[in-house]
């Protein structure tokens, strides 16, 4: 049914919201300006944190993050991953992750183009 | 660990919000009524636009879009892609993209069914 | 370009919002505490429902759900899927679905680690 075409990949990154602007710029510089952004929340492997609010202790187990998705064909995936990794990095816990998923096909709705031309 | 079963695919489309109703109808007509919808924003390859608001110029670089995800097994992927492409099309820049990703397995939580039966 | 490494998988579940807390706990118990959560809406295969609001009949065709995404490498995918399936189950229509997608690569932004070490 689908024929996995490894020339196209979805680079999905979960990053700090305050790093979105730099990440968009870095992606454009890497030749991959197209992207989709989703507000998400999440947690990594660090222990749950306890915070204070109006004198009450409560547990923060999900942190606001931003998901950035870029489907790339022309730009090398490694360059796109490196661009995000550098732009989103602070060195503190919670910087996020980048995942690369195979994409079997792509279609540009306006033109009907498919495959690598559509990305 | 995962055994890529190309009989199941995730069709992920990023479309104009005003095309969601037609797209849902088209998917139902194509035999693939099940879907997940996410509010997203994004940009494609067109240049950044400058807009005016209360006399101020500002840059719009992310546009509101809707992400539609359909995991399909029974309906042919091509029919599902064509249904979205036709329903979401205006011919103007910004119509969006459709990406097809391989799915290794699916489980219906209510029944515990897995594989193509679960989709 | 991407080399599908089936040792890493993305487990994507669409569940009832009220089952998120139990699902997070079950994932932590299964050794897979890291996750990303997105507010979504969707519909499955059941017929569209008609509801009343202030005496007016209207059609509900998209229900609020939560998408949970876990990229896993160390924990067996089957254990992660079972944990979600059990925690999110009510037996009523609308419990949701779990999809497993192959992941070709992963990078931890803080450390730069990649592959299974990054998950
Ligand atoms: N395995 C994973 N699956 C899904 N989402 C993840 C995963 N790991 C991290 N995330 C997402 O990335 C966000 C940031 O993760 P984070 O950087 O804290 O990961 P970590 O493994 O704890 O690394 P660090 O030690 O650098 O904090 C999380 O809030 C979550 O949304
Ligand atoms: N390569 C991509 N990766 C991720 N998301 C994309 C990609 N291309 C487009 N999108 C998403 O689709 C939306 C619409 O894209 P758009 O149709 O403008 O793409 P385009 O390549 O500029 O095509 P067009 O020339 O028809 O405008 C974007 O706002 C973004 O959310
Ligand atoms: N094939 C699919 N593709 C994408 N999302 C899906 C799919 N099936 C279900 N979903 C998502 O899961 C949510 C819950 O689906 P639901 O459990 O109602 O599925 P169903 O097939 O109707 O099963 P049930 O008979 O148990 O109700 C939907 O609102 C939608 O967001
Ligand atoms: Mg962390
Ligand atoms: Mg465009
Ligand atoms: Mg249902």
């Amino acid at each position: 049914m689908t024929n996995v075409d490894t020339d196209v990949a979805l680079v999905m990154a979960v990053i700090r919201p305050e790093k979105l602007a730099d990440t968009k710029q870095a992606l454009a510089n890497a030749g991959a300006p197209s992207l989709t952004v989703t507000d998400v929340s999440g947690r990594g492997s660090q222990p749950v944190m306890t915070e204070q609010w109006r004198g009450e202790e409560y547990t923060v187990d999900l942190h606001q993050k931003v998901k950035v998705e870029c489907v790339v064909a022309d730009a090398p995936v490694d360059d796109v991953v490196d661009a995000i990794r550098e732009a989103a990095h602070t060195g503190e816990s919670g910087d996020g992750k980048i995942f690369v998923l195979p994409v079997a096909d792509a279609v540009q709705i306006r033109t009907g183009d498919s495959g690598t031309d559509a990305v």
Side-chain angles (χ1 to χ4, degrees), chain A residues 6-25:
Chain A
T6 53
D7 291 344
V8 185
L10 167 62
V11 180
M12 174 196 292
V14 181
I15 64 170
R16 300 179 188 279
E18 61 267 31
K19 287 293 190 180
L20 179 59
D22 286 356
T23 300
K24 286 191 296 184
Q25 188 60 55

Side-chain angles (χ1 to χ4, degrees), chain A residues 8-13 70 72 77-78 80-81 98-103:
Chain A
V8 185
L10 167 62
V11 180
M12 174 196 292
C70 315
V72 291
V77 166
D78 286 352
V80 170
V81 168
I98 307 169
F99 305 117
V100 180
L101 281 75
V103 173

Side-chain angles (χ1 to χ4, degrees), chain A residues 8-99:
Chain A
V8 185
L10 167 62
V11 180
M12 174 196 292
V14 181
I15 64 170
R16 300 179 188 279
E18 61 267 31
K19 287 293 190 180
L20 179 59
D22 286 356
T23 300
K24 286 191 296 184
Q25 188 60 55
L27 285 167
N29 295 349
S34 302
L35 83 187
T36 297
V37 175
T38 313
D39 289 324
V40 299
S41 61
R43 71 178 181 202
S45 51
Q46 81 269 53
V48 166
M49 264 175 291
T50 300
E51 298 199 359
Q52 297 275 343
W53 192 70
R54 297 193 172 180
E56 301 278 338
E57 247 189 24
Y58 68 105
T59 298
V60 181
D61 69 342
L62 293 186
H63 303 265
Q64 294 304 309
K65 300 284 170 184
V66 163
K67 187 200 277 188
V68 174
E69 290 170 300
C70 315
V71 176
V72 291
D74 299 325
V77 166
D78 286 352
D79 290 0
V80 170
V81 168
D82 287 350
I84 298 173
R85 192 175 47 71
E86 282 164 31
H89 185 265
T90 69
E92 299 296 312
S93 183
D95 276 353
K97 299 276 174 82
I98 307 169
F99 305 117

